[in-house]
């Protein structure tokens, strides 16, 4: 996991911090593209990146009581090594009540299999299924900056 230095409060204490976004995907190119797109659209400048679901679950467990360290939104890939998106969601279901705040989860995948989209949309923790690549318009819609 690559964690950027995250400001807990702004230096001038009047600036509202942008959302903390977690990207859980084994594709490092997707990490770079998603981060860059969110920066260009001014959606966020604070990111956590994980290459599999296990890293993300361990992070959430470690920081479960700290609101400022928990992501506001989490973009979750389906197909990853070690712990895939489906197993992540099972583990998250056991963990989410212990988190200090709600984490909004978006399933992001290149899969066009209707079984995957249906399964994601039926999961109570997944707010939306987004096909890769993520568009600028979709990000603006998600973060309410349209």
């Amino acid at each position: 996991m690559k964690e950027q230095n995250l400001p807990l409060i702004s230096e001038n204490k009047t600036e509202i911090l942008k959302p903390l976004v977690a990207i859980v995907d084994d594709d490092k190119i997707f990490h770079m593209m998603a981060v860059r797109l969110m920066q260009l659209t001014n959606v966020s400048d604070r990111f956590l990146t994980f290459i599999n679901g296990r890293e993300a679950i361990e992070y959430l467990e470690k920081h479960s009581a700290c609101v400022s360290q928990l992501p506001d939104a989490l973009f979750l890939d389906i197909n990853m090594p070690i712990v895939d998106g489906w197993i992540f969601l099972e583990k998250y279901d056991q963990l989410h009540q212990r988190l200090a705040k709600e984490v909004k989860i978006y399933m992001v995948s290149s899969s066009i299999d209707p079984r995957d989209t249906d399964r994601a949309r039926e999961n109570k923790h997944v707010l939306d299924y987004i096909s890769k690549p993520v568009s600028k318009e979709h990000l603006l819609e998600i973060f309410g900056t349209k």
Side-chain angles (χ1 to χ4, degrees), residues 108-129:
V108 180
S109 181
S110 55
S111 172
I112 56 170
D113 185 335
R115 292 173 295 190
D116 285 338
T117 56
D118 291 345
R119 185 175 176 190
R121 288 190 173 122
E122 290 169 2
N123 187 291
K124 65 183 177 184
H125 302 294
V126 176
L127 294 178
D128 197 4
Y129 181 93

mmCIF file of all heavy atoms in Angstrom, residues 108-129:
data_model
loop_
_atom_site.group_PDB
_atom_site.id
_atom_site.type_symbol
_atom_site.label_atom_id
_atom_site.label_comp_id
_atom_site.label_asym_id
_atom_site.label_seq_id
_atom_site.Cartn_x
_atom_site.Cartn_y
_atom_site.Cartn_z
ATOM 1 N N VAL A 108 -15.541 -1.114 -9.244
ATOM 2 C CA VAL A 108 -15.000 -0.654 -10.521
ATOM 3 C C VAL A 108 -14.341 -1.851 -11.205
ATOM 4 O O VAL A 108 -13.473 -2.486 -10.625
ATOM 5 C CB VAL A 108 -13.954 0.461 -10.306
ATOM 6 C CG1 VAL A 108 -13.395 0.937 -11.625
ATOM 7 C CG2 VAL A 108 -14.553 1.615 -9.535
ATOM 8 N N SER A 109 -14.783 -2.148 -12.414
ATOM 9 C CA SER A 109 -14.227 -3.308 -13.100
ATOM 10 C C SER A 109 -14.349 -3.175 -14.599
ATOM 11 O O SER A 109 -15.193 -2.434 -15.105
ATOM 12 C CB SER A 109 -14.960 -4.576 -12.640
ATOM 13 O OG SER A 109 -14.424 -5.718 -13.283
ATOM 14 N N SER A 110 -13.511 -3.919 -15.297
ATOM 15 C CA SER A 110 -13.618 -3.986 -16.758
ATOM 16 C C SER A 110 -14.552 -5.123 -17.166
ATOM 17 O O SER A 110 -14.848 -5.287 -18.343
ATOM 18 C CB SER A 110 -12.235 -4.172 -17.386
ATOM 19 O OG SER A 110 -11.604 -5.302 -16.832
ATOM 20 N N SER A 111 -15.043 -5.875 -16.199
ATOM 21 C CA SER A 111 -15.971 -6.976 -16.486
ATOM 22 C C SER A 111 -17.306 -6.424 -16.980
ATOM 23 O O SER A 111 -17.864 -5.508 -16.383
ATOM 24 C CB SER A 111 -16.208 -7.816 -15.228
ATOM 25 O OG SER A 111 -17.235 -8.760 -15.459
ATOM 26 N N ILE A 112 -17.785 -7.008 -18.060
ATOM 27 C CA ILE A 112 -19.122 -6.648 -18.560
ATOM 28 C C ILE A 112 -20.093 -7.812 -18.360
ATOM 29 O O ILE A 112 -21.198 -7.797 -18.884
ATOM 30 C CB ILE A 112 -19.071 -6.210 -20.041
ATOM 31 C CG1 ILE A 112 -18.449 -7.301 -20.905
ATOM 32 C CG2 ILE A 112 -18.337 -4.887 -20.186
ATOM 33 C CD1 ILE A 112 -18.573 -7.059 -22.390
ATOM 34 N N ASP A 113 -19.653 -8.788 -17.572
ATOM 35 C CA ASP A 113 -20.485 -9.944 -17.264
ATOM 36 C C ASP A 113 -21.681 -9.474 -16.427
ATOM 37 O O ASP A 113 -21.504 -8.911 -15.349
ATOM 38 C CB ASP A 113 -19.664 -10.971 -16.487
ATOM 39 C CG ASP A 113 -20.413 -12.267 -16.224
ATOM 40 O OD1 ASP A 113 -21.658 -12.265 -16.198
ATOM 41 O OD2 ASP A 113 -19.740 -13.295 -16.035
ATOM 42 N N PRO A 114 -22.900 -9.689 -16.902
ATOM 43 C CA PRO A 114 -24.086 -9.251 -16.148
ATOM 44 C C PRO A 114 -24.152 -9.856 -14.744
ATOM 45 O O PRO A 114 -24.706 -9.243 -13.837
ATOM 46 C CB PRO A 114 -25.267 -9.710 -16.990
ATOM 47 C CG PRO A 114 -24.722 -10.151 -18.293
ATOM 48 C CD PRO A 114 -23.249 -10.328 -18.160
ATOM 49 N N ARG A 115 -23.567 -11.024 -14.550
ATOM 50 C CA ARG A 115 -23.563 -11.628 -13.207
ATOM 51 C C ARG A 115 -22.751 -10.775 -12.243
ATOM 52 O O ARG A 115 -23.119 -10.631 -11.074
ATOM 53 C CB ARG A 115 -23.024 -13.061 -13.260
ATOM 54 C CG ARG A 115 -23.962 -14.020 -14.000
ATOM 55 C CD ARG A 115 -23.335 -15.362 -14.167
ATOM 56 N NE ARG A 115 -22.174 -15.181 -15.056
ATOM 57 C CZ ARG A 115 -21.471 -16.157 -15.591
ATOM 58 N NH1 ARG A 115 -21.770 -17.405 -15.319
ATOM 59 N NH2 ARG A 115 -20.450 -15.904 -16.377
ATOM 60 N N ASP A 116 -21.638 -10.212 -12.728
ATOM 61 C CA ASP A 116 -20.826 -9.342 -11.876
ATOM 62 C C ASP A 116 -21.563 -8.048 -11.553
ATOM 63 O O ASP A 116 -21.588 -7.607 -10.399
ATOM 64 C CB ASP A 116 -19.491 -9.011 -12.547
ATOM 65 C CG ASP A 116 -18.511 -10.175 -12.522
ATOM 66 O OD1 ASP A 116 -18.656 -11.063 -11.662
ATOM 67 O OD2 ASP A 116 -17.592 -10.181 -13.361
ATOM 68 N N THR A 117 -22.147 -7.423 -12.570
ATOM 69 C CA THR A 117 -22.848 -6.161 -12.318
ATOM 70 C C THR A 117 -24.043 -6.373 -11.389
ATOM 71 O O THR A 117 -24.258 -5.586 -10.468
ATOM 72 C CB THR A 117 -23.307 -5.493 -13.628
ATOM 73 O OG1 THR A 117 -24.121 -6.395 -14.361
ATOM 74 C CG2 THR A 117 -22.120 -5.074 -14.479
ATOM 75 N N ASP A 118 -24.792 -7.456 -11.610
ATOM 76 C CA ASP A 118 -25.944 -7.741 -10.744
ATOM 77 C C ASP A 118 -25.496 -8.029 -9.313
ATOM 78 O O ASP A 118 -26.085 -7.526 -8.356
ATOM 79 C CB ASP A 118 -26.749 -8.924 -11.276
ATOM 80 C CG ASP A 118 -27.484 -8.611 -12.566
ATOM 81 O OD1 ASP A 118 -27.610 -7.411 -12.911
ATOM 82 O OD2 ASP A 118 -27.922 -9.561 -13.248
ATOM 83 N N ARG A 119 -24.449 -8.837 -9.180
ATOM 84 C CA ARG A 119 -23.955 -9.196 -7.846
ATOM 85 C C ARG A 119 -23.469 -7.951 -7.096
ATOM 86 O O ARG A 119 -23.736 -7.793 -5.897
ATOM 87 C CB ARG A 119 -22.825 -10.218 -7.975
ATOM 88 C CG ARG A 119 -22.319 -10.742 -6.663
ATOM 89 C CD ARG A 119 -21.290 -11.834 -6.894
ATOM 90 N NE ARG A 119 -20.712 -12.292 -5.649
ATOM 91 C CZ ARG A 119 -19.664 -13.094 -5.554
ATOM 92 N NH1 ARG A 119 -19.097 -13.558 -6.656
ATOM 93 N NH2 ARG A 119 -19.190 -13.448 -4.387
ATOM 94 N N ALA A 120 -22.785 -7.078 -7.797
ATOM 95 C CA ALA A 120 -22.298 -5.845 -7.162
ATOM 96 C C ALA A 120 -23.467 -4.968 -6.737
ATOM 97 O O ALA A 120 -23.499 -4.448 -5.615
ATOM 98 C CB ALA A 120 -21.373 -5.096 -8.112
ATOM 99 N N ARG A 121 -24.418 -4.802 -7.614
ATOM 100 C CA ARG A 121 -25.554 -3.916 -7.315
ATOM 101 C C ARG A 121 -26.455 -4.483 -6.220
ATOM 102 O O ARG A 121 -27.167 -3.735 -5.563
ATOM 103 C CB ARG A 121 -26.332 -3.637 -8.590
ATOM 104 C CG ARG A 121 -25.550 -2.715 -9.509
ATOM 105 C CD ARG A 121 -26.348 -2.211 -10.677
ATOM 106 N NE ARG A 121 -25.571 -1.203 -11.392
ATOM 107 C CZ ARG A 121 -25.243 -1.287 -12.666
ATOM 108 N NH1 ARG A 121 -25.638 -2.313 -13.389
ATOM 109 N NH2 ARG A 121 -24.531 -0.336 -13.236
ATOM 110 N N GLU A 122 -26.432 -5.790 -6.029
ATOM 111 C CA GLU A 122 -27.239 -6.411 -4.973
ATOM 112 C C GLU A 122 -26.565 -6.334 -3.614
ATOM 113 O O GLU A 122 -27.217 -6.524 -2.584
ATOM 114 C CB GLU A 122 -27.517 -7.873 -5.325
ATOM 115 C CG GLU A 122 -28.480 -8.030 -6.497
ATOM 116 C CD GLU A 122 -28.559 -9.463 -7.018
ATOM 117 O OE1 GLU A 122 -27.889 -10.362 -6.457
ATOM 118 O OE2 GLU A 122 -29.284 -9.674 -7.998
ATOM 119 N N ASN A 123 -25.270 -6.026 -3.587
ATOM 120 C CA ASN A 123 -24.547 -5.955 -2.320
ATOM 121 C C ASN A 123 -24.910 -4.653 -1.602
ATOM 122 O O ASN A 123 -24.806 -3.567 -2.179
ATOM 123 C CB ASN A 123 -23.039 -6.031 -2.563
ATOM 124 C CG ASN A 123 -22.262 -6.129 -1.272
ATOM 125 O OD1 ASN A 123 -22.199 -5.179 -0.488
ATOM 126 N ND2 ASN A 123 -21.681 -7.277 -1.037
ATOM 127 N N LYS A 124 -25.314 -4.770 -0.358
ATOM 128 C CA LYS A 124 -25.781 -3.601 0.397
ATOM 129 C C LYS A 124 -24.704 -2.547 0.642
ATOM 130 O O LYS A 124 -25.018 -1.395 0.941
ATOM 131 C CB LYS A 124 -26.390 -4.036 1.730
ATOM 132 C CG LYS A 124 -25.403 -4.664 2.690
ATOM 133 C CD LYS A 124 -26.092 -5.139 3.954
ATOM 134 C CE LYS A 124 -25.119 -5.839 4.889
ATOM 135 N NZ LYS A 124 -25.810 -6.365 6.052
ATOM 136 N N HIS A 125 -23.444 -2.913 0.493
ATOM 137 C CA HIS A 125 -22.364 -1.959 0.731
ATOM 138 C C HIS A 125 -21.902 -1.244 -0.532
ATOM 139 O O HIS A 125 -21.181 -0.257 -0.447
ATOM 140 C CB HIS A 125 -21.167 -2.655 1.382
ATOM 141 C CG HIS A 125 -21.501 -3.313 2.676
ATOM 142 N ND1 HIS A 125 -21.880 -2.605 3.798
ATOM 143 C CD2 HIS A 125 -21.558 -4.620 3.023
ATOM 144 C CE1 HIS A 125 -22.135 -3.454 4.782
ATOM 145 N NE2 HIS A 125 -21.952 -4.671 4.336
ATOM 146 N N VAL A 126 -22.307 -1.740 -1.691
ATOM 147 C CA VAL A 126 -21.869 -1.164 -2.956
ATOM 148 C C VAL A 126 -22.902 -0.157 -3.444
ATOM 149 O O VAL A 126 -24.061 -0.506 -3.672
ATOM 150 C CB VAL A 126 -21.642 -2.261 -4.023
ATOM 151 C CG1 VAL A 126 -21.280 -1.651 -5.370
ATOM 152 C CG2 VAL A 126 -20.554 -3.238 -3.566
ATOM 153 N N LEU A 127 -22.477 1.085 -3.613
ATOM 154 C CA LEU A 127 -23.389 2.137 -4.059
ATOM 155 C C LEU A 127 -23.604 2.118 -5.569
ATOM 156 O O LEU A 127 -24.665 2.505 -6.046
ATOM 157 C CB LEU A 127 -22.878 3.504 -3.631
ATOM 158 C CG LEU A 127 -22.863 3.743 -2.129
ATOM 159 C CD1 LEU A 127 -22.294 5.111 -1.814
ATOM 160 C CD2 LEU A 127 -24.260 3.608 -1.552
ATOM 161 N N ASP A 128 -22.572 1.685 -6.315
ATOM 162 C CA ASP A 128 -22.708 1.667 -7.765
ATOM 163 C C ASP A 128 -21.644 0.767 -8.363
ATOM 164 O O ASP A 128 -20.600 0.532 -7.756
ATOM 165 C CB ASP A 128 -22.562 3.091 -8.327
ATOM 166 C CG ASP A 128 -23.095 3.240 -9.748
ATOM 167 O OD1 ASP A 128 -23.658 2.261 -10.294
ATOM 168 O OD2 ASP A 128 -22.956 4.339 -10.305
ATOM 169 N N TYR A 129 -21.924 0.279 -9.561
ATOM 170 C CA TYR A 129 -20.978 -0.502 -10.347
ATOM 171 C C TYR A 129 -20.532 0.390 -11.497
ATOM 172 O O TYR A 129 -21.364 0.891 -12.251
ATOM 173 C CB TYR A 129 -21.639 -1.769 -10.885
ATOM 174 C CG TYR A 129 -20.708 -2.652 -11.685
ATOM 175 C CD1 TYR A 129 -20.025 -3.683 -11.066
ATOM 176 C CD2 TYR A 129 -20.509 -2.447 -13.046
ATOM 177 C CE1 TYR A 129 -19.166 -4.493 -11.783
ATOM 178 C CE2 TYR A 129 -19.654 -3.247 -13.765
ATOM 179 C CZ TYR A 129 -18.988 -4.273 -13.131
ATOM 180 O OH TYR A 129 -18.127 -5.074 -13.839
#
